[in-house]
Amino acid sequence: MNTPPAPPYSLAATLAGKRGLIVGIANEASIAAGCARAFVSAGAAIAATYLNEKSLPFVRSVTDPLGCKFLLPCDVRIPGQLEAAFARIEAEWGRLDFLLHAIAFAPKDDLHGRVVDCSAAGFGLAMDVSCHSFLSMAHLAEPLMKNGGSLLTVTFYGSERVVEHYNLMGPVKAALESVVRYTAAELGPKGIRANAISPGPIRTRAASGIDRFDELMAAAAAEAPEHHLVDIDDVGALAAFLVGDGARRITGTIIPVDGGQHLMA
Ligand code: NAD
């Protein structure tokens, strides 16, 4: 096999022997793509999901060079698809060591309006895809994490502060962060950890659905003490640490990777 693409920093083989499932690669720009690169660079074997046939070539362009063991269809709105993905993991690997949940969705009309105006259906769908799916994955991963494991998701500081144009996703991410804490408490006795990474704004396909995202990025760069935006490799570095044994006592946390933007009033 050719040498897989590596992030612009070096990671020791801290994840050697570990097997992880990555949900949320849409293309090369996805946060999940940066995490996948970091996991493989640290020695992990990965499986990944793709949303639908249209997205498959873009997902493959990320996963093929990383020697991804298998690629599974998974739209969390389609009953049975997530279960089928985990059944395949069980059949192929018999166990799972870590899981990255990096997916979010909200209907455009609801996302672009005021939170007080959003429809019950739009709110429900956004919660279902972006938040409850983490619980579904935790539920399915639990029996496969026989030697303990690590569950990871991705949130945004719009959960705790009102960020203009983030709208409906604010309350959804607040719920996701709470879900991480309850999952950590409930699965802790089995050695299963749950954490969330909270990156600063990164230009991705999901981000392009947020109005005036360029302004959000400009504000983040202006506010962060080092005036740097973060990228998907910055998120990958933390993700690789969090799913490794070095983070074995870290659970239930929401960790910012935002160049320190969260410090600023
Ligand atoms: P992205 O568009 O690359 O990834 C979003 C993923 O969600 C895609 O892979 C898409 O296929 C998946 N998805 C949407 N609906 C789905 C469904 N029904 N079933 C299964 N998968 C579905 O964008 P991204 O920015 O990499 O997003 C990843 C995560 O990071 C999201 O939770 C997002 O809210 C979060 N996040 C992003 C930023 C940012 O600035 N980009 C900042 C903080 C948090």
Side-chain angles (χ1 to χ4, degrees), residues 22-193:
I22 297 169
V23 183
I25 300 172
N27 53 40
E28 306 263 356
S30 294
I31 288 173
C35 295
R37 272 207 296 269
F39 295 145
V40 170
S41 178
I46 58 164
T49 65
Y50 61 97
L51 183 65
N52 51 35
E53 292 306 313
K54 201 172 142 199
S55 68
L56 186 55
F58 303 100
V59 178
R60 267 197 192 291
S61 72
V62 175
T63 56
D64 282 358
L66 293 174
C68 178
K69 297 294 174 206
F70 35 99
L71 210 45
L72 312 160
C74 178
D75 179 335
V76 296
R77 293 167 304 182
I78 300 177
Q81 272 205 339
L82 193 58
E83 288 77 5
F86 275 83
R88 177 84 189 279
I89 299 268
E90 180 166 27
E92 299 277 349
W93 280 345
R95 67 164 223 269
L96 189 66
D97 300 305
F98 65 89
L99 168 89
L100 174 70
H101 168 281
I103 68 173
F105 176 78
K108 205 172 166 192
D109 286 349
D110 293 291
L111 180 62
H112 288 174
R114 300 188 310 171
V115 177
V116 292
D117 299 328
C118 79
S119 67
F123 188 82
L125 182 55
M127 282 290 266
D128 199 29
V129 172
S130 318
C131 178
H132 186 266
S133 60
F134 180 77
L135 287 174
S136 304
M137 290 179 207
H139 175 78
L140 290 164
E142 181 184 358
L144 294 182
M145 292 187 161
K146 295 168 182 157
N147 306 318
S150 178
L151 305 164
L152 204 55
T153 187
V154 191
T155 185
F156 187 60
Y157 72 84
S159 60
E160 40 181 294
R161 287 192 284 157
V162 175
V163 174
E164 249 192 308
H165 308 298
Y166 200 58
N167 301 347
L168 168 60
M169 285 312 293
V172 170
K173 291 299 193 189
L176 178 66
E177 292 174 13
S178 182
V179 152
V180 164
R181 291 187 279 270
Y182 278 85
T183 303
E186 290 177 0
L187 300 187
K190 294 190 170 172
I192 300 172
R193 300 180 291 109

Side-chain angles (χ1 to χ4, degrees), residues 235-247:
V235 181
L238 178 60
F241 170 69
L242 284 174
V243 303
D245 294 339

